[in-house]
Amino acid sequence: MTCALLFRLLLLMTLAALFQGKRFGPTSRLRYSRFLDPSNVIFLRWDFDLEAEIITFELQVRTAGWVGLGVTNRYTRVGSDLVVGGVLPDGNVYFSDQHLVDEDTLEEDGSQDAELQGLTEDAVYTTMRFSRPFRSCDAHDQDITSDTIRVLAAYGLDDTLKLDRDRTFVKSIFLLQIVHPDDLDVPEDTIIHDLELTDFLIPEDDTTYACTFLPLPIVSKKHHIFKFEPKLLKHNQTMVHHILVYACGNASVLPTGISDCYGADPAFSLCSQVIVGWAVGGTSYQFPDDVGVSIGTPLDPQWIRLEIHYSNFHNVPGVYDSSGIRLYYTAKLRKYDMGVLQLGFFTFPIHFIPPGAESFLSYGLCKTEKFEEMNGVPVPDIQVYGYLLHTHLAGRALQAVQYRNGTQLRIICKDDFYDFNLQETRDLPYRMEIKQGDELLVECHYQTLDRDSLTFGGPSTINEMCLIFLFYYPRNNISSCMGYPDIIHVAHELGEEVSDSMEGMMAMNNVEWTPENIKKAEKACKEAQQTVIIKTIDEVVENTTGWIPEIIRAPRGPCLESSGGKVEPQDKTPAGYRAAPIALSGSSTATLRCLPLAALLFGQGALSWLLATLQVGV
């Protein structure tokens, strides 16, 4: 290859990067950022290219020693991957793709799948920037997926590569966040409206559901709510588990004051159509620029039910709270009115999870065939653009699956590494259409190895839930569609003679929960006929029945073979791999003579990319 051709390729590459914005070089702006430790010593920036399946990280740490960043799992750090690097006192840099062979010992991978883009040290920080594929062909590298990722960060005070637990941190992050808030429009006429409790005395109970009814903003013409965020008092944050805002039908007769949402007065559980929601770990959320929650027309709700779930496990007395939700709204109308559809397992009283379960799956079915009849007017196809997943402490994974005419169409959303402490509204990579007659199935995966008694569905954090909220447009009147299994069938399969559902649930306490019986119960729940409960904003309820369809699991995508090392034979995964690009013919020593000038003109990062593409060794 001639120098002229090399320079032309580099120029084309640079222009492509400028116009397409897909590759992230050594100086490209990375859109996302987060502190990874409580003392704000470790700061992470990142961005990604979904098409190329490459993610770029920049780790900045207040240290003159080594720094490391990788991915770990929920249960152990053994097997975690960690990319490490630093600057020696003489100015030389070191950089390596490694993994943990035990809790404290690092070992270099046979395949080096991280590409260094920059490593500097000044009087305050050591900064390391590198890219890596979402999935390499090295079994020592954890995949980057659209699930919750447990990011592992570590550093040392000098250049001795030794893990210190006081300087090692794990933080759950949704790395592949599709929409960045800076990419969204903020109207100039934005108005703020707060929905909150005022000086509410949190009871000295483990679990409290406090509800009150509040008016939405009074406006003379149609407006759109386009963003919401939690309002939390700092000293009470650990007590607030979730906040939900439910739209009330305009025919509803609502009580006054604050009371237990699901207590003696059933009026405080009125209104069941969620319009916005926040849970532990979440932050603010702004809707896409073409959708919003409509207020101000005769068809729009005028009142809402504000529900705040408090978890006061230490029974602390005398704590007052004024938490709530802040709404942002505008007269600049969006194209679509949005709604929220609640799916999952009908929480109470049928849901149960055996103790001592390594894995237990629960299912909730939704059948949409009655939506139009219950809605009162034709229901257009809905476009789903976002979702919120919700279980309590035993939850490990969730997914929502769509079926049409008896055939699985797609997995709408999932999280195989769900973290109770990171519950946030997430955007889908593209809009997904649901038609009248489709079936929607929610699967929740639980683990109860730390429990010696049954876990039942219910409101407390130590109870369980299995819920997925789909954010969609255009809005209709359906608020929820959830299912539960025939518990009498389940009890009979477990050898218990019962005649009604209450006896069936009580009989679960008689079962010896061996691994065999746990699997038998899971199978019985899946094979039992499901009752599907559909509810509208006006509290109209109808039931139907159905059966749980099989789920076709999504295969892992192809892996990217590294051009910077050799994959060890025992590490090669059976799912296949995507090879590094084929070398262009004619690469020779003539190319190598151009490299110093090319690096000077275009930068070492750009040159490294091109060389990897051409498979030129230096």
Side-chain angles (χ1 to χ4, degrees), residues 16-242:
L18 285 172
F19 286 104
Q20 296 179 13
K22 289 184 177 181
R23 294 282 184 171
F24 301 98
T27 59
S28 302
R29 183 180 75 91
L30 305 181
R31 294 176 297 162
Y32 304 95
S33 61
R34 199 76 47 89
F35 281 105
L36 302 183
D37 68 307
S39 301
N40 293 347
V41 170
I42 305 174
F43 187 63
L44 177 66
R45 294 184 180 90
W46 78 94
D47 214 325
F48 51 89
D49 179 348
L50 279 176
E51 184 178 340
E53 297 186 354
I54 298 290
I55 189 165
T56 299
F57 295 106
E58 183 176 277
L59 186 68
Q60 185 179 72
V61 187
R62 287 207 303 263
T63 184
W66 67 272
V67 299
L69 184 77
V71 178
T72 187
N73 66 57
R74 182 186 195 106
Y75 304 105
T76 176
R77 293 178 188 169
V78 177
S80 305
D81 67 52
L82 195 68
V83 175
V84 298
V87 181
L88 294 169
D90 62 6
N92 286 318
V93 303
Y94 54 95
F95 176 77
S96 178
D97 183 4
Q98 307 206 8
H99 62 276
L100 274 72
V101 294
D102 58 38
E103 290 283 347
D104 304 304
T105 307
L106 285 165
E107 183 177 284
E108 188 169 81
D109 293 0
S111 174
Q112 293 295 295
D113 299 288
E115 178 186 348
L116 180 63
Q117 294 187 354
L119 226 173
T120 61
E121 181 183 302
D122 59 25
V124 182
Y125 299 107
T126 295
T127 304
M128 177 176 69
R129 184 172 176 133
F130 67 93
S131 62
R132 55 152 289 181
F134 288 0
R135 183 185 174 211
S136 78
C137 294
D138 185 353
H140 291 310
D141 293 339
Q142 305 289 325
D143 292 354
I144 303 292
T145 65
S146 57
D147 307 288
T148 296
I149 302 296
R150 286 169 172 82
V151 175
L152 174 66
Y155 69 97
L157 301 180
D158 55 31
D159 292 303
T160 305
L161 282 177
K162 182 176 175 58
L163 286 174
D164 184 326
R165 298 191 182 195
D166 292 335
R167 289 186 285 276
T168 303
F169 303 91
V170 176
K171 190 174 187 69
S172 290
I173 304 177
F174 180 50
L175 288 174
L176 301 186
Q177 181 180 342
I178 302 300
V179 179
H180 190 280
D182 291 348
D183 300 332
L184 298 171
D185 177 53
V186 178
E188 293 181 358
D189 66 342
T190 296
I191 308 167
I192 292 174
H193 183 80
D194 291 335
L195 302 169
E196 60 188 3
L197 299 181
T198 303
D199 293 329
F200 174 69
L201 178 61
I202 301 175
E204 298 172 42
D205 299 323
D206 291 351
T207 299
T208 299
Y209 274 72
C211 276
T212 192
F213 295 87
L214 300 169
L216 284 167
I218 300 173
V219 290
S220 59
K221 62 179 182 179
K222 181 172 180 172
H223 286 62
H224 269 137
I225 298 169
F226 68 90
K227 177 182 176 180
F228 67 88
E229 65 187 18
K231 281 195 68 181
L232 303 172
L233 297 184
K234 191 168 185 179
H235 62 280
N236 294 345
Q237 283 184 10
T238 57
M239 291 188 183
V240 181
H241 171 278
H242 76 240

Side-chain angles (χ1 to χ4, degrees), residues 538-560:
D538 294 311
E539 308 298 320
V540 175
V541 179
E542 285 204 24
N543 296 351
T544 185
T545 58
W547 303 90
I548 301 298
E550 289 297 324
I551 297 175
I552 302 171
R553 306 291 167 178
R556 291 175 72 192
C559 60
L560 182 64

Side-chain angles (χ1 to χ4, degrees), residues 582-608:
I582 299 173
L584 296 179
S585 60
S587 297
S588 66
T589 55
T591 305
L592 301 181
R593 288 196 295 270
C594 308
L595 299 184
L597 182 58
L600 180 65
L601 292 175
F602 294 94
Q604 186 62 48
L607 182 61
S608 299

